[in-house]
Amino acid sequence: MGKRSDFERKPRDFYPTPIEAVYPLLPHLPDGFGFAEPCAGDGALVEHLETKGVCMWASDIEPQAEGIHKRSYDELSFDELIDSEYVITNPPWDRTILHPMIEFFAPKKKTWLLFDADWMHTKQSRQYMPWCRKIVSVGRVKWFGNMTGKDNCAWYLFQEVFAWHANPPEFIARV
């Protein structure tokens, strides 16, 4: 899961998103928003977000619930995303998947991704930070019931490239 974790990784980084990880994001979303969830897994994140918005598309490479289409994120067409204002997902944290997801979705839709907060402090994030508009701190998440993860998390909002030096990402600290 994380860099300091001694837990065996789950295949495809399948970790259902607990509601506690979603609470910090909700104030940053308008009522009745439409969204697509391209790493929907068992639909947990979709269920949490539908308390405020409407899921227009949900898919996963290996769906774990009915109503979730079997599709890789990079196979999604404009038609599948057209009705969504946002792409919102808890993606695999593997950088070989995460970074291409940023490149794929950010030019198309406002994209909220949940992953480790340390990423923003690494050299590898440098090329993606011009696409980052907002960072919402989440803290440590209980991914395994009562067992808290070892990495702090954050929601990152990515969108088409903009003048980063003129408008750096807004950071929202934990309350």
Side-chain angles (χ1 to χ4, degrees), residues 47-121:
E47 184 178 316
H48 302 324
L49 292 171
E50 283 190 325
T51 62
K52 190 169 183 175
V54 178
C55 183
M56 309 305 286
W57 178 265
S59 58
D60 197 283
I61 58 172
E62 193 170 307
Q64 304 290 313
E66 282 191 41
I68 298 172
H69 300 274
K70 184 176 176 124
R71 188 89 46 100
S72 173
Y73 80 89
D74 57 356
E75 296 172 339
L76 296 180
S77 71
F78 180 75
D79 289 342
E80 290 148 342
L81 299 175
I82 193 168
D83 293 329
S84 299
E85 184 178 353
Y86 296 93
V87 170
I88 305 175
T89 195
N90 170 12
W93 292 11
D94 181 320
R95 301 322 191 217
T96 63
I97 299 170
L98 177 65
H99 292 162
M101 286 183 87
I102 295 168
E103 294 170 8
F104 185 82
F105 287 118
K108 297 172 178 67
K109 295 287 177 177
K110 298 173 192 169
T111 302
W112 283 103
L113 302 177
L114 175 66
F115 57 96
D116 59 292
D118 282 350
W119 176 85
M120 71 178 105
H121 302 290

Side-chain angles (χ1 to χ4, degrees), residues 139-171:
R140 294 190 180 181
V141 174
K142 290 185 179 183
W143 298 105
F144 314 103
N146 291 328
M147 297 168 63
T148 303
K150 298 186 186 241
D151 293 300
N152 288 303
C153 300
W155 284 101
Y156 294 84
L157 174 61
F158 294 97
Q159 199 174 355
E160 60 194 305
V161 174
F162 73 145
W164 189 88
H165 56 83
N167 297 305
E170 179 184 6
F171 178 77

Side-chain angles (χ1 to χ4, degrees), residues 21 24-25 117 120 135-139 152-155 171-175:
L25 176 62
M120 71 178 105
I135 301 166
V136 178
S137 180
V138 173
N152 288 303
C153 300
W155 284 101
F171 178 77
I172 310 298
R174 289 178 64 194
V175 183

